[in-house]
Amino acid sequence: MYSSLAPNGPLKLYHFIIIVAVVLAFLSQLPSFHSLRHINLVSLLLSLGYTILVSAACIRAGLSKNAPAKFYSLSSSKSEQTFNAFLSISILASVFGNGILPEIQATLAPPAAGKMMKALVMCYSVIGFTFYLPSITGYWAFGSQVQSNVLKSLMPDSGPALAPTWLLGLAVLFVLLQLLAIGLVYSQVAYEIMEKNSADVTQGKFSRRNLVPRLLLRTLYLAFCALMAAMLPFFGDIVGVVGAVGFIPLDFVLPVIMYNIALASPRRSTLYIANTVIMAVFTGVGAIGAFASIRKLVLDAGQFKLFSNNVVD
């Protein structure tokens, strides 16, 4: 929004990353997951609103007389197709791996099964709607040249914007507010791990004994995250790495290992063999996905400099 309103303005991308980090540092003083419940509700509404706005904008852009040429063909290189396929699997694992969070949380208090199913049905319903609708409409409107952040396709560097200014501005605002909510929720896991030894559970959450370490640890954590985000402004590539290294093992490898250990199934049983095959296949998928993601990072490395003013998709 700033670059559109002030194309020659002095502020750079990293300035806005710092601003967001300062806001997150203030909001991160909310002490627990329970204190984020209202923010979670707002986050859900923002996700739904953004999905509807962007999907409508993509449909309008696809039908517009200024619509860009659509190319749906894949790369002619077989190796490029293969690497892109595994990169996409890693990104999908990162997206759908979010369901592991409510699943883990649901097992912390009995009865796990009922809570888990409700949380997972809700989680995957929202994910299915918010990811597939803009993906389908964005790919239809822009073909294989669509950006991983579809707003960049709707606001091309050359030529007019392909959606009304008010719609794009509202969508960008929704993204900003949604990212603040996501940052709070995901960081809460790291906060609880860091504060496991520093907090005193016998005293109040806002007592000086707990408030000072919390303020210090959370601010330092966010300062480090902001520094890395400003230094390395990648987007889709980083999601691929996170999916390959984090979510594929977390979703498809560790659960079957723990299942086999917990139930001690006979090694020759169909269930044990099936779990072992799943573990082996997804270990390979994760390894290839990690290689493909890192390869994409290396290929894109020439497009940016430290503290660049552009996000590499």
Side-chain angles (χ1 to χ4, degrees):
M1 292 174 71
Y2 175 80
S3 61
S4 297
L5 295 173
N8 300 315
L11 296 182
K12 305 297 183 184
L13 175 64
Y14 59 85
H15 292 131
F16 291 97
I17 292 176
I18 293 171
I19 292 171
V20 169
V22 170
V23 175
L24 278 176
F26 175 76
L27 295 176
S28 68
Q29 299 313 308
L30 294 169
S32 65
F33 267 120
H34 182 68
S35 60
L36 299 178
R37 61 193 184 280
H38 302 302
I39 292 177
N40 273 332
L41 176 60
V42 173
S43 174
L44 170 63
L45 298 177
L46 289 170
S47 296
L48 297 176
Y50 172 82
T51 299
I52 294 170
L53 287 174
V54 166
S55 300
C58 288
I59 294 172
R60 182 183 185 277
L63 297 174
S64 169
K65 62 180 181 180
N66 296 322
K70 302 180 182 67
F71 300 100
Y72 299 106
S73 58
L74 299 175
S75 171
S76 58
S77 169
K78 292 295 183 183
S79 61
E80 188 76 16
Q81 290 183 23
T82 303
F83 283 125
N84 286 342
F86 280 99
L87 174 62
S88 299
I89 290 173
S90 300
I91 293 174
L92 284 171
S94 181
V95 170
F96 285 93
N98 289 290
I100 202 74
L101 296 177
E103 185 171 344
I104 292 172
Q105 293 169 34
T107 60
L108 297 179
K115 293 179 181 179
M116 185 186 300
M117 287 306 300
K118 289 179 181 178
L120 290 176
V121 168
M122 179 68 174
C123 177
Y124 288 121
S125 297
V126 173
I127 287 176
F129 177 76
T130 56
F131 280 90
Y132 276 104
L133 185 59
S135 296
I136 292 170
T137 55
Y139 187 72
W140 169 79
F142 301 104
S144 57
Q145 301 304 309
V146 65
Q147 300 287 330
S148 55
N149 179 2
V150 73
L151 282 176
K152 296 190 71 173
S153 294
L154 291 167
M155 295 184 288
D157 294 332
S158 59
L162 300 174
T165 303
W166 67 266
L167 188 150
L168 294 172
L170 191 57
V172 170
L173 180 62
F174 281 11
V175 169
L176 175 60
L177 296 176
Q178 169 71 345
L179 288 175
L180 291 174
I182 290 173
L184 289 172
V185 172
Y186 272 79
S187 297
Q188 196 68 39
V189 178
Y191 297 155
E192 294 196 1
I193 293 173
M194 290 189 299
E195 295 166 10
K196 185 176 181 180
N197 296 321
S198 65
D200 185 350
V201 295
T202 62
Q203 299 191 36
K205 293 181 179 179
F206 292 98
S207 64
R208 179 181 297 181
R209 168 63 183 80
N210 289 326
L211 181 61
V212 173
R214 182 168 69 239
L215 180 64
L216 181 63
L217 287 172
R218 296 189 181 193
T219 303
L220 288 175
Y221 172 81
L222 283 168
F224 174 77
C225 291
L227 177 63
M228 296 304 297
M231 288 177 58
L232 306 171
F234 291 101
F235 181 65
D237 300 349
I238 293 294
V239 174
V241 173
V242 170
V245 177
F247 281 107
I248 287 181
L250 185 64
D251 287 358
F252 301 108
V253 179
L254 290 178
V256 295
I257 292 176
M258 290 188 291
Y259 187 92
N260 282 345
I261 293 174
L263 297 188
S265 304
R267 290 181 178 272
R268 294 186 178 180
S269 67
T270 304
L271 184 60
Y272 185 91
I273 294 172
N275 281 340
T276 303
V277 170
I278 291 172
M279 179 184 66
V281 169
F282 280 99
T283 298
V285 169
I288 298 173
F291 179 79
S293 303
I294 294 171
R295 171 182 174 272
K296 185 71 164 53
L297 274 173
V298 172
L299 292 175
D300 288 343
Q303 301 181 34
F304 86 106
K305 299 177 181 178
L306 287 177
F307 300 101
S308 169
N309 198 37
N310 296 307
V311 177
V312 179
D313 286 319

